[in-house]
Amino acid sequence: MIKGFRYALNKFWPEALSGDLLILSLSIVLAVTSISSVSFLGDRLQTSMKLQASSILGADLVLRSASAIDPNYLELGVANNLDTAETITFLSMIITDEDNLLTSIKTTSESYPLKGELIIADFDGSLIQNSGSPPSGSVWIEPKIAETLSINNLTEISIGNKTFKVDGIIKDFPDRNSSFVGFYPIAIVNINDVSQMGVIQTGSRVIYRNMFSGSKRNLDNFVNDIGEIPADIRLQQADDVGDELGEALRESVTFFNLASLFTVIISVISAMMAVRRYASRNLLHASLMKVFGASKLFILGHQIMQLLLIIFFATLFGLLCGYALQSLIISALQGILTNELPAPSFKPIILGFITSIFVVLATASPYLKILSQTEPIRILRNDFSINISNNLIIYLVALVTMFIFLGILFQDIKLLSYILLVLIFVTAALFAIGKTLIYLLGSIKFSSGIGWKIGLKNIVNRGNESILQIIIFGLSLLFLIVLAETRTDLIDSWSETLEEDTPNYFLFNIQEYDLVNVTSYLLETANFSPSYTPLIRGRLLSAKRAGSDEFSSENLMEREANLTWQESLPKSNKISKGEWWNEESLEAEVSIDAEVADSMNLEIGDELLFSAGGSKFSATVTSFREIEWESFSPNFFFILSPSAGQKLPNSYITSIKISEQSDIMNLFTQRFPTITAVDLAAVIQQIRNTVSSASLAVQYIFLLTLIAGILALVASVFSNRDQRTKETAIMHAIGANRLIIFQSAAAEFFILGILSGFTAIIFAIVLSSIIFSQFLDLQYSPNLLILGLSFAIGVIFIFISGILSIRKTIYTSPIITLRDS
Amino acid sequence: MVFSFNDKLSEAFTVMKTESKIAENTPRHPLKDLILEVKNITKEVNSPEGLLTIVKDINLSVERGKPISLVGPSGSGKTTLLAIMAGLDIPTKGSVKLLGSNITLMNEDQRAQIRAKDVGFVFQSFHLMPRLSALDNVMLPLEIAGDPDAIEKSQIALDQVGLSSRAKNFATQLSGGEKQRVAIARAIVNKPKILFADEPTGNLDQKSSNAVTDLLFSINELINTTLVLVTHDLLLAEKCKDLYELSDGSLL
Ligand SMILES: Nc1ncnc2c1ncn2[C@@H]1O[C@H](COP(=O)(O)OP(=O)(O)OP(=O)(O)O)[C@@H](O)[C@H]1O
Ligand SMILES: [Mg+2]
């Protein structure tokens, strides 16, 4: 065996660069590239998401309440070696000599923020501070406030009873969604000034937040120590916030996993074809070595060493490509990822090696046996045919191991089982189709052109070889089509959230008496007819389980509930449980966001007690909704039925689309000073960036799978090239002209391509619909354009590469061909 | 694996030793130095038409240094017999004593050992590795044996067949006659004590055929090897000291 190793080392490069091992190496490179890039990526994305999540909170852990929080918690945090900070946020007017503006006042302690970045600049735009709080008596404001109130560095403003000096402009701050009404501009004030301002009175809407950061262990200890917390305090941890990160980012990660899984499977297919061809070509070599006295172990040693070398070099190369691809994707995702990314870990490197070992084991093991046990007498009999059927068990075992490995790698047994099932069905179907084709062609007597006839006959003559080719073509096309469909629909669904008429302004606080005027104003100036949603400011007080008599406020965050009432279900909502009410229902009903219901432990049939406009009323929960938050229409956690909501005092909100350049909105605010208009341009731009970044990233990874697919098709076309070459040469020699040879090859590849393409499409529809419904939460309807195009391109590709594979024989003298073989 | 490999080796040697003792103790041809001794060889195979006897009750022996030839019509079992004599195949019945060892009692790897050391082969269809150069092809047996002087020895062998100028050419770039001469160089590069050739001129025209024939017989003397030649070319066969004729699997 050692001798075999040494022999392999000597002979490695010439053999590695020969066609068959090259295709095997490329398959490994592709599998490793895709696994490692996704793993490099996943690693870094995950860490970055975590960072981002904690910066959304401004800390690793936050206690949040609508009433003052017991200071013991902060002390307990310090005792557990955690960093702590504190904020109190409330709405108040900022008043200047000329004007005033309703603002979200965020008061902070010295150590704010614990995570994420606070960037404060002076009026000239140069950076002055990036953590902490302004000194007592100073305020930092968002540019919007400075703009609206025409504030410069000399302006004094007052909030409540206290006057402040404007010290800085807020460029960025981390915990944006911590304020209860995200649409008001922010001002930051020192927390010690709260009492002097005197704006917090009983009944004021205030958010108290205690923030904690530290090592995972200390955090866990802390959570342990605080034990049960009162119902009005909500505990938020960075881990829980992950969900709030862009849907697009999460879906693209799913897509990356899917694509890399497909790439590995396709690579295994092409590796299989490559190994098969390599083995049949090397049977002569191995048998000859046997004749010259090589032992079984020598040959085994030679083959194993050769494969190890290939694994080593191909994996290294694959890792390089994987890292490069990952960098490309990261740079594409830059728009989504705001944080500095952590350095990648070593995990992908180990994974890369394991992957390539599995690819080789799964494909080469049966041939190792065949080659090492070849009988030397083959040389005297000139018999170099390989019969794999005796070794199918090895194949099966190897492939099953491969799937188990993939299962562990992707930790998604469900996805893998579906794919395995589809794989088995497709293979069986393709096998049956191949058999039928051969049977039919075998029994037909052709009377048409001679070249075509020979081609069709060749399909029959090649028998199992043709069936194998149909299977390989079909499988490669199948995975490519599914991925192409997924890719297109994902990108479409992302950009749908940003259709042309996506509203870019929210209008709040529209009173009943303004409705007609606002409508006619918008119609006149912008030719836009708004539709209004009633907004009822209320508060959820308590809930009562159906059948019980007691109202309880347990689990309900004492919360500000913006209510609305609706006759019909809003477009961007979907009922997930229960039923939407009948328009004429006289019952007081309420429909709740499913997630909120879950967090407050509410059930259909519960009775909720609200207060609004100074009175209390109750309504029965009759449905849960899933809300598509990305849609730019007003969304509500709680929707009341008309009979419950109609009589309550309300204002209206609406979203409108106005061309960015016009000054309609400036005139609008002058005309309707009490109406608040919120510009969504920045948010929309943010989402545009997300969508285009995610789309680009998805394209990159799709490209990789495409390359793998092409390689598999090429490997399959070339798998019986030797035989074809010999046959064409013989046909040539016995007088067939080029046209006939061309026609026969064309007919053969055309039929094989059409049949496999057709089967691939049918199963692609099946697999796509499974993936869409089970893994992506998307509606699936077959994309006829993609299906048709993939079919056409697939068939043409097989056809052309098939013709190219025998090109040489068509144009060279048969003597040379026959002599070579 | 290394250990069991060595075990098999020593086992092989034991077999060889005992065999040669038996040979010494029971001299059937006391004056002759037999390099190959075939006793009662029968080979049967399973075929679609049932059990098929390809060769039957063959007895023959080859003296060191005396080339023999085996002739007979196509399908008479020449190749089968050659494969059995060379240890590439095993007989259904009978025994073959090659270079003093009873190879019918050995396993595949033990027979491979003997082939690597003392046996050379030439085939009708050359069987050169198409992607290797002439020199690399000749080196093959030495590389398997792990010979450190493989290159020098192979160059000498190529020189002996008059093809040292074509050493760097790939096998596909050679004519049939040249291919067969490279194959002969490959067969003699390990200085075999016995050289099996199965219709070495079968695929060649008359001229190349003569060249190859001359080469085979001159080499026989040059490196002191014994040629076992299968052919249906009677002229070629008659150049050998002994001529056996095979018909329907039996010697005439
Ligand atoms: N494994 C096998 N199974 C069935 N039949 C076999 C097998 N091996 C050889 N034969 C048959 O045995 C007969 C002898 O074959 P062999 O190759 O030894 O003949 P040969 O004398 O070398 O012929 P040729 O001169 O044509 O090379 C043939 O009829 C052949 O078909
Ligand atoms: Mg023969």
Side-chain angles (χ1 to χ4, degrees):
Chain A
M1 192 147 195
I2 306 293
K3 279 187 196 163
F5 283 168
R6 209 174 302 136
Y7 181 70
L9 281 172
N10 288 336
K11 291 278 176 277
F12 179 64
W13 287 111
E15 293 204 41
L17 296 175
S18 76
D20 316 301
L21 285 184
L22 197 63
I23 290 189
L24 175 65
S25 311
L26 282 180
S27 315
I28 297 175
V29 168
L30 283 170
V32 171
T33 303
S34 88
I35 291 281
S36 63
S37 63
V38 169
S39 156
F40 274 128
L41 195 70
D43 241 28
R44 300 178 73 184
L45 279 186
Q46 225 160 30
T47 326
S48 141
M49 276 185 181
K50 206 129 187 203
L51 276 177
Q52 222 165 336
S54 36
S55 98
I56 283 176
L57 281 181
D60 291 331
L61 185 150
V62 167
L63 294 179
R64 171 187 170 135
S65 174
S67 47
I69 301 175
D70 187 339
N72 278 336
Y73 288 117
L74 285 178
E75 279 164 32
L76 207 56
V78 174
N80 274 300
N81 284 324
L82 298 178
D83 298 329
T84 61
E86 208 183 339
T87 68
I88 304 172
T89 311
F90 47 85
L91 282 181
S92 185
M93 286 291 178
I94 288 188
I95 301 165
T96 62
D97 290 344
E98 282 103 46
D99 210 347
N100 60 49
L101 180 71
L102 189 61
T103 308
S104 170
I105 311 290
K106 187 184 189 88
T107 66
T108 61
S109 62
E110 293 297 316
S111 43
Y112 169 88
L114 299 178
K115 284 286 158 72
E117 249 187 328
L118 171 72
I119 303 175
I120 308 296
D122 60 17
F123 278 86
D124 305 327
S126 42
L127 186 80
I128 53 168
Q129 195 155 4
N130 51 14
S131 77
S133 55
S136 182
S138 293
V139 63
W140 295 328
I141 56 173
E142 278 201 296
K144 172 129 194 167
I145 303 176
E147 211 177 282
T148 317
L149 298 179
S150 335
I151 289 172
N152 59 38
N153 53 353
L154 300 172
T155 320
E156 293 219 318
I157 63 166
S158 40
I159 306 170
N161 304 329
K162 192 170 166 68
T163 3
F164 289 89
K165 185 161 84 54
V166 179
D167 232 16
I169 301 291
I170 305 171
K171 291 291 179 201
D172 199 7
F173 67 100
D175 44 354
R176 274 181 190 277
N177 69 345
S178 65
S179 40
F180 45 122
V181 189
F183 292 124
Y184 293 98
I186 302 269
I188 299 183
V189 176
N190 193 304
I191 200 163
N192 298 323
D193 293 340
V194 169
S195 57
Q196 285 182 41
M197 287 185 271
V199 284
I200 301 183
Q201 276 130 23
T202 29
S204 311
R205 299 191 300 237
V206 186
I207 295 175
Y208 295 85
R209 296 170 84 235
N210 285 357
M211 309 161 77
F212 305 88
S213 276
S215 70
K216 172 111 179 61
R217 230 184 72 215
N218 290 344
L219 282 168
D220 287 346
N221 287 340
F222 173 66
V223 172
N224 230 354
D225 285 356
I226 57 179
E228 281 282 303
I229 46 172
D232 63 322
I233 298 183
R234 194 145 75 107
L235 188 149
Q236 298 174 298
Q237 271 187 286
D239 296 346
D240 312 332
V241 188
D243 282 4
E244 293 174 24
L245 279 179
E247 183 74 5
L249 192 58
R250 228 172 337 119
E251 280 176 344
S252 50
V253 169
T254 308
F255 181 85
F256 296 158
N257 279 330
L258 203 63
S260 84
L261 182 60
F262 283 10
T263 311
V264 174
I265 293 177
I266 296 177
S267 304
V268 168
I269 292 176
S270 52
M272 243 154 108
M273 299 311 286
V275 168
R276 189 164 163 275
R277 181 157 188 252
Y278 169 77
S280 65
R281 289 188 142 203
N282 273 264
L283 199 54
L284 168 63
H285 193 171
S287 311
L288 207 54
M289 294 210 285
K290 275 272 177 84
V291 168
F292 292 131
S295 66
K296 221 181 296 176
L297 285 177
F298 181 94
I299 294 176
L300 208 56
H302 170 213
Q303 301 295 337
I304 290 178
M305 188 49 149
Q306 196 165 49
L307 290 174
L308 283 178
L309 288 170
I310 286 181
I311 287 176
F312 179 74
F313 286 109
T315 308
L316 275 193
F317 191 58
L319 286 172
L320 277 179
C321 296
Y323 187 78
L325 180 67
Q326 168 270 156
S327 311
L328 253 179
I329 293 175
I330 291 281
S331 73
L333 288 177
Q334 215 54 264
I336 306 180
L337 306 169
T338 47
N339 287 92
E340 194 78 357
L341 280 174
S345 69
F346 280 104
K347 203 177 92 194
I349 298 177
I350 297 162
L351 270 186
F353 275 101
I354 297 180
T355 307
S356 62
I357 288 172
F358 269 98
V359 170
V360 168
L361 267 186
T363 54
S365 43
Y367 296 107
L368 282 182
K369 187 173 163 228
I370 290 178
L371 285 183
S372 66
Q373 294 188 350
T374 178
E375 295 149 5
I377 192 149
R378 278 174 183 272
I379 290 289
L380 289 175
R381 300 238 167 277
N382 265 328
D383 164 22
F384 303 111
S385 60
I386 278 196
N387 186 0
I388 190 82
S389 55
N390 299 336
N391 297 285
L392 275 183
I393 293 291
I394 306 183
Y395 239 135
L396 226 59
V397 171
L399 287 178
V400 167
T401 348
M402 179 85 207
F403 258 90
I404 294 174
F405 161 68
L406 288 176
I408 295 169
L409 187 58
F410 285 90
Q411 301 194 336
D412 196 339
I413 298 298
K414 189 173 141 203
L415 177 62
L416 273 158
S417 337
Y418 277 124
I419 289 180
L420 194 61
L421 269 182
V422 171
L423 213 63
I424 291 170
F425 274 112
V426 183
T427 311
L430 286 164
F431 181 81
I433 289 176
K435 274 273 185 224
T436 320
L437 172 77
I438 286 170
Y439 175 76
L440 287 180
L441 288 179
S443 58
I444 291 176
K445 296 254 176 292
F446 298 99
S447 52
S448 55
I450 176 163
W452 304 105
K453 201 165 91 183
I454 294 174
L456 298 181
K457 257 193 181 156
N458 276 343
I459 295 182
V460 181
N461 294 340
R462 267 190 259 287
N464 289 337
E465 197 68 34
S466 303
I467 295 178
L468 184 69
Q469 235 160 9
I470 288 192
I471 293 177
I472 302 300
F473 288 154
L475 287 179
S476 320
L477 284 178
L478 166 74
F479 286 112
L480 283 182
I481 296 173
V482 169
L483 209 57
E485 274 203 294
T486 317
R487 187 209 67 159
T488 312
D489 272 43
L490 255 193
I491 293 178
D492 282 355
S493 86
W494 291 338
S495 35
E496 249 167 42
T497 49
L498 287 175
E499 275 161 5
E500 270 309 292
D501 53 352
T502 303
N504 55 355
Y505 279 94
F506 261 131
L507 302 182
F508 282 92
N509 223 3
I510 311 169
Q511 302 303 320
E512 188 91 43
Y513 53 80
D514 267 338
L515 287 184
V516 182
N517 297 334
V518 171
T519 304
S520 60
Y521 180 85
L522 288 175
L523 263 178
E524 261 168 50
T525 54
N527 192 22
F528 186 92
S529 151
S531 61
Y532 301 97
T533 311
L535 177 83
I536 305 157
R537 291 200 189 276
R539 198 177 263 261
L540 174 58
L541 299 176
S542 56
K544 186 178 81 167
R545 185 80 354 129
S548 124
D549 302 327
E550 260 173 74
F551 276 97
S552 112
S553 54
E554 208 179 321
N555 289 324
L556 309 181
M557 23 182 163
E558 161 88 354
R559 74 182 295 162
E560 199 55 46
N562 282 328
L563 305 170
T564 189
W565 62 266
Q566 295 281 321
E567 288 177 346
S568 50
L569 184 68
K571 234 183 20 201
S572 52
N573 288 206
K574 216 168 66 189
I575 296 290
S576 63
K577 202 173 172 195
E579 259 172 63
W580 188 255
W581 44 76
N582 186 322
E583 274 173 45
E584 280 117 49
S585 158
L586 293 175
E587 300 290 317
E589 297 176 40
V590 60
S591 169
I592 324 177
D593 168 63
E595 274 176 35
V596 168
D598 197 42
S599 75
M600 300 198 296
N601 194 21
L602 294 176
E603 286 175 10
I604 300 279
D606 286 357
E607 199 177 328
L608 302 187
L609 187 66
F610 293 94
S611 78
S615 64
K616 293 182 181 175
F617 66 95
S618 68
T620 311
V621 179
T622 51
S623 65
F624 293 162
R625 284 166 297 128
E626 266 171 27
I627 302 175
E628 204 182 290
W629 288 102
E630 283 91 352
S631 80
F632 277 72
S633 35
N635 280 311
F636 290 85
F637 286 133
F638 300 92
I639 300 182
L640 298 169
S641 62
S643 54
Q646 238 157 0
K647 2 178 235 299
L648 297 170
N650 67 272
S651 62
Y652 291 88
I653 62 175
T654 186
S655 52
I656 57 175
K657 162 84 185 169
I658 303 288
S659 105
E660 299 279 343
Q661 286 80 19
S662 70
D663 59 349
I664 295 174
M665 285 321 287
N666 283 337
L667 298 170
F668 182 90
T669 33
Q670 282 168 21
R671 169 91 203 278
F672 303 100
T674 58
I675 296 177
T676 317
V678 176
D679 188 350
L680 298 177
V683 185
I684 291 176
Q685 194 48 50
Q686 164 86 39
I687 293 191
R688 281 226 165 91
N689 286 345
T690 307
V691 166
S692 64
S693 315
S695 307
L696 190 62
V698 159
Q699 301 284 30
Y700 284 139
I701 201 109
F702 177 69
L703 203 66
L704 183 70
T705 317
L706 191 66
I707 294 175
I710 290 175
L711 187 71
L713 291 180
V714 169
S716 170
V717 164
F718 275 72
S719 71
N720 57 7
R721 179 172 170 238
D722 288 347
Q723 196 192 346
R724 258 173 228 289
T725 307
K726 211 173 218 163
E727 282 171 9
T728 31
I730 291 169
M731 275 169 64
H732 220 152
I734 60 177
N737 60 26
R738 279 175 201 172
L739 182 69
I740 292 177
I741 292 175
F742 171 82
Q743 277 179 344
S744 85
E748 196 179 337
F749 282 111
F750 191 66
I751 294 274
L752 294 181
I754 294 256
L755 281 177
S756 46
F758 192 69
T759 320
I761 282 193
I762 292 176
F763 280 92
I765 294 175
V766 175
L767 186 55
S768 293
S769 60
I770 293 177
I771 287 175
F772 275 51
S773 61
Q774 301 290 317
F775 301 96
L776 286 171
D777 249 353
L778 288 178
Q779 199 73 30
Y780 176 71
S781 59
N783 186 329
L784 293 183
L785 182 70
I786 296 224
L787 290 176
L789 222 59
S790 322
F791 180 76
I793 293 176
V795 172
I796 291 172
F797 183 85
I798 290 171
F799 184 78
I800 291 182
S801 55
I803 299 293
L804 285 182
S805 77
I806 57 154
R807 176 194 87 252
K808 223 174 78 188
T809 27
I810 295 186
Y811 291 104
T812 46
S813 143
I815 296 305
I816 293 180
T817 320
L818 286 176
R819 204 165 141 135
D820 275 2
S821 55
Chain B
M1 255 193 263
V2 178
F3 287 112
S4 66
F5 181 56
N6 282 340
D7 288 350
K8 276 181 188 160
L9 259 185
S10 55
E11 202 181 297
F13 282 126
T14 332
V15 173
M16 283 160 71
K17 274 179 199 153
T18 42
E19 285 302 315
S20 53
K21 264 191 197 128
I22 295 166
E24 279 161 25
N25 292 344
T26 55
R28 280 189 55 183
H29 310 276
L31 299 175
K32 290 177 186 165
D33 180 8
L34 293 187
I35 195 164
L36 176 68
E37 208 174 348
V38 174
K39 281 187 202 156
N40 302 323
I41 288 292
T42 297
K43 176 75 179 176
E44 292 163 342
V45 293
N46 283 312
S47 77
E49 297 89 43
L51 205 61
L52 197 74
T53 307
I54 307 176
V55 290
K56 206 176 154 206
D57 283 334
I58 305 287
N59 283 292
L60 63 81
S61 49
V62 180
E63 260 181 88
R64 189 183 298 276
K66 292 192 177 161
I68 69 146
S69 66
L70 207 54
V71 294
S74 180
S76 55
K78 304 183 294 292
T79 299
T80 308
L81 182 56
L82 179 94
I84 292 172
M85 293 192 297
L88 295 178
D89 201 0
I90 41 174
T92 318
K93 271 186 239 142
S95 72
V96 175
K97 200 183 281 174
L98 179 62
L99 296 156
S101 327
N102 186 344
I103 56 170
T104 38
L105 293 179
M106 294 178 168
N107 69 22
E108 176 59 45
D109 281 347
Q110 290 166 337
R111 281 188 308 233
Q113 272 291 309
I114 293 187
R115 288 201 297 273
K117 217 166 133 271
D118 291 322
V119 182
F121 287 94
V122 179
F123 314 103
Q124 175 172 4
S125 42
F126 325 138
H127 287 313
L128 296 183
M129 296 300 300
R131 271 172 294 168
L132 298 184
S133 70
L135 185 66
D136 283 336
N137 263 294
V138 175
M139 273 164 60
L140 197 63
L142 295 180
E143 282 179 311
I144 291 168
D147 192 318
D149 305 319
I151 298 185
E152 293 76 28
K153 287 183 181 173
S154 308
Q155 264 155 351
I156 292 172
L158 268 180
D159 205 25
Q160 284 169 339
V161 300
L163 280 176
S164 47
S165 61
R166 310 297 302 269
K168 290 274 171 290
N169 284 70
F170 285 99
T172 49
Q173 296 165 327
L174 302 172
S175 76
E178 286 166 341
K179 275 184 194 157
Q180 195 60 301
R181 276 152 68 196
V182 171
I184 291 173
R186 181 177 65 183
I188 61 169
V189 72
N190 59 343
K191 301 239 162 39
K193 299 203 170 69
I194 188 162
L195 178 62
F196 291 95
D198 188 4
E199 311 212 17
T201 57
N203 276 352
L204 300 176
D205 60 50
Q206 194 54 53
K207 202 166 143 239
S208 331
S209 176
N210 288 341
V212 165
T213 311
D214 292 346
L215 189 61
L216 273 176
F217 282 99
S218 69
I219 273 168
N220 206 19
E221 282 153 29
L222 188 69
I223 62 165
N224 193 25
T225 181
T226 309
L227 180 66
V228 176
L229 180 69
V230 164
T231 181
H232 47 226
D233 178 352
L234 268 176
L235 278 176
L236 179 56
E238 275 162 2
K239 289 192 172 186
C240 297
K241 290 263 179 327
D242 285 324
L243 188 152
Y244 293 90
E245 200 175 342
L246 209 55
S247 168
D248 256 348
S250 303
L251 281 181
L252 292 181

